[in-house]
C-alpha cells in the first residue's frame, strides 16, 4: 500500500504584530515540482505564498482567505494522474481535483492550525478558531456528500478475527474498530463509536508488526543473506511461507485469519484470462505471473535442494509461493521506523481496513517516536457502525484487481488507459502549464467538466501534443481557420485510434454473471469499464468534431 510518504512540508504559521501569516511552499523535492510551479503561476500564485490574517478579520474575509489557501494546497498535494488531467483552463477554481486530494488538502490546513495553536500566547490568535471551524465545516460537508453505505453480513462468522483483535489488545493494540463481514467486500473494519477528525482509529505497537527483524532472527537468515541482490521483501516472503505453518509462532493467530485463497488477478483462471482479451489488464496479469514464475524457478528449487532442513520442499511449492506473493502484495504496508528506514511490513488488524475513493484515513505509515506505535488518524468523521476506509494510494482498477482482487466503488479518477505515443520535441500551446509530459493517457470523459471547443473532456497535455505534432507553428486556442482545421485532424486521429480499440474489446460478453466464477465476474466487470471509457472518448470526439465544424462553417 502507498502510505503517502511525501516530501516534507515547509508550510508554517508566523506570528505578526497584528495577527499571523500562513506560509505555503511547494517543496523543491516534489517529483512534479516544475509542473506544479507552472500550474501555480497560471493561477496567479508563486511557489512560496504568504497569506496574511489579522485579528480584525471578519468571518467572510476569513472564508475568502481560506479559499485562496485551499487553491494553493490542492495543487501542492496533486499526484501524477490528478496533475495530468487537472483543471488547467476554463474550469472553476472552487472545485476539488479528486476526493482523496480534497481530504488531504483540508487536513493539511487543519494540521497547520493545530501546530500553531499549541504554541504559547494562544489567546492572541483566537481568530484562528474561525478558520478552523470553517475547515471542519467543509470536511463535514464533504463527508455528508460522499457517504458509502456498508451492510454487515450477520450470517458470516468472524470468530478468528475477534481472537486476533483480543490478541492485539493484549499486546498493546488500541482500537475503536471491530472486524465484520461486509456484503460485497469481504471483511472490513467497522467503527465501534463515533470518531471525529483527528481521532486515532487504530494504534499498533511496533512489537506486533511483522518486519524484516523476524527474518534476521530466523534459521534461514544466514542462508538468504549470502544470496546477492536478494531484497528484504523477498526474504520476508520466504519467511512467511514457513512461518504460517509454525504452531509456536508469535503470529499464529494472525496467520490463522488469512484466507486459503486471496482471489487477486494473479489467481485468475483460464476463463477469466480469456474474458480479458483486448484489455491491458490481460497483459498486466500475464507479465506479473511470468515475472513471479521466473523468480520462483531461479530461487526456490535451489534453496529446497541445498537446504532441505530449512526450506522444506512441501512448504515451498509454486502454489505456496504465489499465495505468499498475494499476501504481501495485498496486505503489506510501507512503514517509516524511528531510525528513518522505510520497511515493508505486515500489520495484523490494520490489514482489514478496506480501500475507498473516499477514505477516512489518508496518512499513516510513520512510527510515532514518543509511543513507538503506528497510528491511523481520521481525516474525516466516521460514525458508529460505519465502515472505516483507508486509502491504499492512487491506483487504477487494473492495478487493484491484479494485486488486491477488487474494483473500487464509484468513478476512480485513476482509471486511465496509457497511450503508446513516441513523444518528441514539439511546440506546446502558448502558456500551457501541462506541457513537457513524456507519456500520455486518457480516461472516461465523464470525469471532466469542460467539454467546450479545444477541450472536449479530453486531457489537455494529450491534445496539445497532438496539435504540436501536426503543425510546427506555436498554437493558441483561438477561433481561426488554421487552428480549426488542425483540430479536425487531431479529433479524427483520436477517433480512428479508439474505434480500433473498441473493436478489439468486442461486444458485451453474453455470460451468465450470476453463475460465473468470481474471477470471470471481475474480468467482465473490468472489461465493461474499458468499453465505457473508450465509448466516452468516441462520443466526445464526435461531439468535438461537430463543434469545430460548426465554427469553421461560420468563418
Amino acid at each position: 500500500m502507498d502510505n503517502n510518504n511525501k516530501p516534507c512540508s515547509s508550510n508554517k504559521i508566523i506570528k505578526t504584530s497584528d495577527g499571523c501569516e500562513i506560509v505555503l511552499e511547494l517543496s523543491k523535492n516534489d517529483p512534479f515540482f516544475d509542473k506544479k510551479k507552472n500550474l501555480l503561476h497560471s493561477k496567479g500564485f508563486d511557489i512560496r505564498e504568504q497569506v496574511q490574517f489579522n485579528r480584525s478579520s471578519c468571518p467572510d474575509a476569513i472564508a475568502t482567505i481560506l479559499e485562496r489557501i485551499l487553491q494553493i494546497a490542492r495543487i501542492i498535494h496533486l499526484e501524477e494522474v490528478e496533475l495530468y488531467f487537472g483543471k488547467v483552463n476554463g474550469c472553476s477554481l472552487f472545485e476539488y481535483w479528486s476526493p482523496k486530494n480534497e481530504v488531504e488538502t483540508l487536513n493539511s490546513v487543519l494540521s497547520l492550525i493545530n501546530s500553531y495553536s499549541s504554541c504559547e500566547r494562544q489567546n492572541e490568535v483566537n481568530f484562528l478558531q474561525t478558520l478552523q471551524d470553517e475547515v471542519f465545516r467543509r470536511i463535514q460537508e464533504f463527508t455528508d456528500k460522499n457517504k458509502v453505505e456498508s451492510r454487515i453480513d450477520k450470517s458470516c462468522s468472524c470468530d478468528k478475527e475477534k481472537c486476533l483483535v483480543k490478541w492485539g489488545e493484549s499486546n498493546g493494540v488500541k482500537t475503536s474498530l471491530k472486524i465484520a463481514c461486509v456484503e460485497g467486500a469481504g471483511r472490513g473494519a467497522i467503527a465501534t463509536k463515533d470518531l471525529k477528525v483527528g481521532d486515532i482509529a487504530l494504534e499498533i505497537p511496533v512489537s506486533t508488526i511483522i518486519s524484516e527483524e523476524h527474518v534476521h532472527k530466523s534459521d534461514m537468515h544466514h542462508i538468504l543473506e549470502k544470496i546477492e541482490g536478494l531484497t528484504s521483501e523477498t526474504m520476508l516472503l520466504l519467511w512467511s511461507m514457513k512461518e504460517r505453518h509454525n504452531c509456536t509462532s508469535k503470529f499464529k493467530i494472525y496467520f490463522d485469519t488469512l484466507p486459503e485463497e486471496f482471489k487477486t488477478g494473479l489467481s485468475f483462471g483460464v476463463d477469466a484470462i480469456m474474458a480479458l482479451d483486448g484489455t491491458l489488464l490481460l497483459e498486466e496479469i500475464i507479465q506479473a505471473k511470468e515475472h513471479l514464475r521466473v523468480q520462483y524457478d531461479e530461487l526456490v528449487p535451489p534453496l529446497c535442494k541445498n537446504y532441505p532442513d530449512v526450506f522444506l520442499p512441501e512448504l515451498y511449492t509454486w502454489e505456496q509461493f504465489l499465495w505468499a506473493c498475494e499476501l504481501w502484495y495485498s496486505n503489506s504496508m510501507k512503514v517509516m521506523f524511528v531510525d528513518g528506514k522505510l520497511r515493508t511490513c505486515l500489520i495484523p488488524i490494520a490489514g482489514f481496513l478496506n480501500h475507498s475513493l473516499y477514505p477516512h484515513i489518508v496518512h499513516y505509515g510513520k512510527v510515532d517516536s514518543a509511543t513507538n506505535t503506528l497510528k491511523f488518524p481520521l481525516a474525516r468523521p466516521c460514525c458508529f457502525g460505519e465502515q472505516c476506509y483507508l486509502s491504499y494510494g492512487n491506483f487504477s482498477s487494473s492495478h487493484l484487481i491484479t494485486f488486491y482482487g477488487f474494483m473500487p466503488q464509484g468513478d476512480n479518477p485513476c482509471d486511465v488507459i496509457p497511450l503508446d505515443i513516441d513523444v518528441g520535441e514539439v511546440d506546446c500551446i502558448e502558456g500551457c502549464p501541462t506541457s513537457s509530459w513524456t507519456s500520455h493517457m486518457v480516461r472516461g470523459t465523464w470525469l471532466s467538466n469542460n467539454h467546450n471547443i479545444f477541450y472536449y473532456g479530453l486531457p489537455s497535455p494529450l491534445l496539445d501534443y497532438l496539435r504540436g505534432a501536426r503543425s510546427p507553428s506555436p498554437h493558441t486556442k483561438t477561433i481561426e481557420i488554421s487552428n480549426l482545421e488542425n483540430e479536425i485532424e487531431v479529433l479524427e486521429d483520436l477517433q480512428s485510434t479508439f474505434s480500433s480499440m473498441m473493436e478489439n474489446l468486442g461486444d458485451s460478453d453474453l455470460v451468465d454473471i450470476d453463475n460465473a466464477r468470481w474471477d470471470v465476474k471481475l474480468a467482465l466487470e473490468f472489461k465493461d469499464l474499458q468499453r465505457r471509457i473508450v465509448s466516452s472518448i468516441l462520443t466526445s470526439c464526435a461531439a468535438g468534431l461537430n463543434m469545430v465544424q460548426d465554427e469553421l462553417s461560420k468563418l
Side-chain angles (χ1 to χ4, degrees):
M1 300 179 191
D2 176 5
N3 301 25
N4 303 288
N5 291 300
K6 295 186 175 181
C8 293
S9 170
S10 54
N11 300 340
K12 56 188 175 182
I13 300 181
I14 302 172
K15 182 176 174 56
T16 64
S17 58
D18 190 32
C20 68
E21 179 180 89
I22 293 182
V23 179
L24 300 173
E25 186 170 3
L26 175 64
S27 170
K28 292 184 178 179
N29 295 324
D30 193 296
F32 301 102
F33 176 81
D34 290 334
K35 289 181 173 63
K36 291 182 181 180
K37 180 181 75 171
N38 291 339
L39 188 52
L40 284 167
H41 288 171
S42 75
K43 304 299 184 187
F45 304 122
D46 205 344
I47 60 170
R48 188 178 190 275
E49 281 288 323
Q50 297 167 258
V51 183
Q52 298 285 341
F53 277 87
N54 58 64
R55 295 187 187 91
S56 60
S57 296
C58 64
D60 286 345
I62 290 176
T64 301
I65 295 171
L66 173 61
E67 195 57 57
R68 183 183 172 201
I69 293 170
L70 292 177
Q71 289 171 27
I72 299 166
R74 284 170 185 142
I75 293 173
I76 289 174
H77 283 88
L78 288 177
E79 297 192 17
E80 182 178 13
V81 171
E82 296 164 339
L83 191 56
Y84 184 85
F85 290 95
K87 299 173 176 63
V88 179
N89 293 293
C91 297
S92 170
L93 286 171
F94 300 98
E95 296 179 9
Y96 61 76
W97 301 70
S98 74
K100 180 170 171 281
N101 176 268
E102 190 69 0
V103 171
E104 284 187 305
T105 296
L106 289 166
N107 274 266
S108 69
V109 177
L110 207 55
S111 297
L112 201 55
I113 296 169
N114 290 338
S115 68
Y116 188 72
S117 298
S118 63
C119 295
E120 295 181 3
R121 290 180 284 185
Q122 183 176 348
N123 60 330
E124 295 184 22
V125 291
N126 285 335
F127 62 91
L128 281 176
Q129 183 65 48
T130 306
L131 179 66
Q132 188 178 55
D133 292 343
E134 178 62 16
V135 175
F136 276 125
R137 187 192 68 77
R138 288 180 182 240
I139 292 174
Q140 188 61 55
E141 184 180 44
F142 175 90
T143 298
D144 294 340
K145 285 182 179 178
N146 299 296
K147 282 191 174 179
V148 179
E149 184 179 353
S150 297
R151 295 183 179 180
I152 308 301
D153 182 359
K154 296 182 180 178
S155 65
C156 179
S157 171
C158 285
D159 292 340
K160 290 181 179 179
E161 292 76 13
K162 290 176 183 176
C163 288
L164 177 64
V165 173
K166 287 181 180 178
W167 169 85
E169 289 175 333
S170 67
N171 283 277
V173 171
K174 297 176 184 177
T175 181
S176 298
L177 307 170
K178 68 175 182 179
I179 311 306
C181 290
V182 181
E183 290 183 10
R187 296 172 296 184
I190 311 299
T192 57
K193 62 180 181 180
D194 288 341
L195 297 171
K196 307 185 298 297
V197 176
D199 284 352
I200 306 300
L202 185 62
E203 184 173 357
I204 309 281
V206 167
S207 59
T208 62
I209 294 175
I210 298 175
S211 65
E212 60 189 50
E213 71 166 298
H214 295 287
V215 180
H216 296 162
K217 296 176 182 177
S218 71
D219 59 353
M220 62 178 67
H221 184 251
H222 73 283
I223 300 170
L224 298 178
E225 67 177 347
K226 296 175 184 176
I227 301 176
E228 187 177 351
L230 196 65
T231 65
S232 59
E233 285 83 0
T234 303
M235 290 184 187
L236 273 165
L237 188 147
L238 295 169
W239 172 85
S240 62
M241 291 172 71
K242 186 176 181 179
E243 191 70 9
R244 69 180 290 214
H245 300 287
N246 180 4
C247 294
T248 62
S249 171
K250 173 184 178 180
F251 300 102
K252 183 182 186 304
I253 291 178
Y254 168 67
F255 282 109
D256 286 345
T257 65
L258 298 175
E260 289 296 319
E261 184 182 9
F262 275 100
K263 295 185 176 181
T264 74
L266 297 174
S267 291
F268 271 19
V270 174
D271 290 341
I273 292 294
M274 290 177 64
L276 288 173
D277 186 38
T279 68
L280 291 173
L281 176 56
L282 173 61
E283 185 179 344
E284 186 172 340
I285 290 175
I286 290 175
Q287 286 182 351
K289 287 283 287 283
E290 287 177 349
H291 168 75
L292 294 178
R293 187 76 217 199
V294 169
Q295 186 182 27
Y296 174 82
D297 289 342
E298 291 179 350
L299 180 63
V300 180
L303 285 172
C304 293
K305 180 181 178 181
N306 298 326
Y307 309 97
D309 294 339
V310 177
F311 297 95
L312 286 70
E314 64 270 22
L315 301 184
Y316 285 88
T317 63
W318 160 249
E319 290 73 21
Q320 300 255 29
F321 181 79
L322 185 59
W323 179 91
C325 290
E326 290 181 288
L327 164 65
W328 283 89
Y329 278 136
S330 61
N331 280 261
S332 67
M333 300 182 185
K334 290 192 179 296
V335 178
M336 180 70 74
F337 284 75
V338 292
D339 61 3
K341 188 173 181 180
L342 191 66
R343 297 178 174 91
T344 302
C345 306
L346 291 176
I347 306 175
I349 304 175
F352 293 115
L353 286 158
N354 287 324
H355 171 78
S356 174
L357 302 175
Y358 305 93
H360 296 91
I361 300 167
V362 292
H363 287 296
Y364 53 96
K366 187 174 183 179
V367 173
D368 186 325
S369 58
T371 59
N372 206 30
T373 58
L374 191 63
K375 297 179 180 179
F376 293 79
L378 263 71
R380 67 182 183 92
C382 185
C383 299
F384 167 77
E386 184 181 356
Q387 186 174 182
C388 188
Y389 289 106
L390 199 68
S391 171
Y392 292 178
N394 283 359
F395 294 133
S396 66
S397 290
S398 63
H399 181 94
L400 291 170
I401 288 173
T402 301
F403 299 108
Y404 295 87
F406 72 92
M407 281 181 63
Q409 294 181 356
D411 288 328
N412 183 359
C414 294
D415 275 335
V416 302
I417 297 177
L419 301 178
D420 186 13
I421 296 176
D422 184 17
V423 178
E425 292 295 325
V426 298
D427 292 323
C428 61
I429 295 259
E430 195 175 284
C432 177
T434 57
S435 60
S436 304
W437 286 91
T438 56
S439 59
H440 293 282
M441 62 192 99
V442 292
R443 67 181 181 186
T445 59
W446 64 83
L447 291 168
S448 171
N449 66 353
N450 191 347
H451 292 259
N452 298 325
I453 193 166
F454 298 117
Y455 298 96
Y456 324 111
L458 296 166
S460 290
L462 173 63
L463 291 172
D464 292 343
Y465 170 75
L466 294 174
R467 288 169 185 136
R470 300 198 67 89
S471 174
S473 58
H475 296 270
T476 58
K477 294 183 176 72
T478 55
I479 305 296
E480 298 175 8
I481 290 177
S482 60
N483 286 344
L484 295 177
E485 288 175 342
N486 197 34
E487 289 295 289
I488 289 175
E489 292 180 354
V490 166
L491 290 169
E492 286 178 344
D493 282 350
L494 285 171
Q495 221 174 23
S496 175
T497 298
F498 287 97
S499 292
S500 298
M501 195 175 290
M502 184 63 93
E503 287 178 14
N504 290 335
L505 288 169
D507 297 327
S508 296
D509 302 82
L510 299 175
V511 177
D512 183 2
I513 295 291
D514 293 335
N515 295 314
R517 264 175 51 102
W518 66 270
D519 53 347
V520 175
K521 288 180 181 178
L522 199 50
L524 293 177
E525 188 180 351
F526 178 80
K527 198 168 186 178
D528 283 342
L529 171 64
Q530 294 289 282
R531 288 193 189 97
R532 186 179 170 218
I533 292 172
V534 175
S535 177
S536 74
I537 293 164
L538 290 171
T539 300
S540 292
C541 286
L545 281 169
N546 287 335
M547 276 190 289
V548 175
Q549 287 163 349
D550 284 347
E551 291 295 335
L552 197 56
S553 65
K554 294 175 186 177
L555 296 176

